[in-house]
Amino acid sequence: MPKPGSRLRLVDVAERAGVSLATASRALSGRDGVSAEVADRVRRVSQELGYVANPYARTLAGGASSTVGLVVHQVDDPYFSEIAGGVIEVAAEQGLLVQICHSGRDPHFELRQIRHLIAQRVGIILIAGSGYTDNRVEAETKAELAAYQSLGGRVAVIGRHSLGADAVLPDNEAGGRALTEHLLGLGHRRIAVAAGTEG
């Protein structure tokens, strides 16, 4: 048992449950190799003692953390907040946490955010936003993500086409056509388009 005032450790749970440290770790993380009876006992003891896993220790011991890194251009933009809400919902179903980074539409700052997420050993990186016209920064970002993926990291992008990762590409052309057809159907003939800059 831990001494009064000392921080409860996984080894304390293992001792109380009568199992090895490795078995206690596997039982609490839901990994294979532990019978249902032993896993239930370890979880029950963990709850009785009030043990809370240290995610930093788990990351150091087991590689990537159970965190998803999400990079968006503008966190208060309805488009990106909708994406963030969906990511958070699906991640929660998988027992994952989401760390949101805001690039402010700056390719250099976005690259710094990606490097920070990699240094934090997140298991998955999602990047939402259109591509940049700065080819040098795009190439650096692609290289960082390729190295991250070669070590087992997972990457997906939304609206990006040149980062060497799985991509969700909105069908902007079909959307624009549907919108125009709708406006024409309403009888409008003078239609203006407000577009952002190329970058």
Side-chain angles (χ1 to χ4, degrees):
M1 274 301 292
K3 296 174 185 170
S6 67
R7 190 177 186 285
L8 193 65
R9 300 166 304 152
L10 180 57
V11 68
D12 301 314
V13 174
E15 287 176 3
R16 173 69 74 86
V19 298
S20 70
L21 184 58
T23 297
S25 176
R26 282 195 299 272
L28 293 178
S29 64
R31 294 199 309 266
D32 293 336
V34 182
S35 70
E37 179 186 340
V38 170
D40 287 342
R41 184 169 76 241
V42 171
R43 283 193 289 271
R44 188 177 64 252
V45 168
S46 173
Q47 289 174 343
E48 289 171 0
L49 294 176
Y51 172 74
V52 177
N54 180 341
Y56 302 108
R58 184 179 297 165
T59 297
L60 291 172
S65 71
S66 58
T67 302
V68 175
L70 171 63
V71 182
V72 298
H73 280 340
Q74 195 75 30
V75 75
D76 59 353
D77 180 305
Y79 173 74
F80 294 112
S81 64
E82 187 79 16
I83 289 171
V87 169
I88 290 168
E89 183 178 335
V90 173
E93 292 170 2
Q94 302 298 317
L96 302 170
L97 297 174
V98 178
Q99 178 179 338
I100 301 176
C101 298
H102 170 114
S103 72
R105 301 183 190 274
D106 178 336
H108 297 279
F109 190 62
E110 179 177 281
L111 178 56
R112 283 197 358 234
Q113 297 283 358
I114 290 168
R115 286 176 172 154
H116 173 76
L117 290 171
I118 292 170
Q120 295 297 312
R121 299 174 79 165
V122 301
I124 302 167
I125 296 177
L126 304 175
I127 304 170
S130 55
Y132 295 114
T133 55
D134 187 327
N135 293 330
R136 188 183 60 76
V137 176
E138 280 284 274
E140 281 187 62
T141 302
K142 184 176 181 177
E144 289 282 350
L145 293 174
Y148 168 74
Q149 290 178 92
S150 74
L151 296 173
R154 295 166 63 193
V155 179
V157 297
I158 302 169
R160 301 292 285 269
H161 354 210
S162 60
L163 292 182
D166 290 329
V168 177
L169 299 176
D171 193 348
N172 294 323
E173 188 174 327
R177 183 180 296 110
L179 178 62
T180 305
E181 288 171 354
H182 176 72
L183 292 173
L184 291 172
L186 294 174
H188 298 287
R189 293 297 177 265
R190 290 171 52 86
I191 301 168
V193 176
T197 63
E198 184 186 354

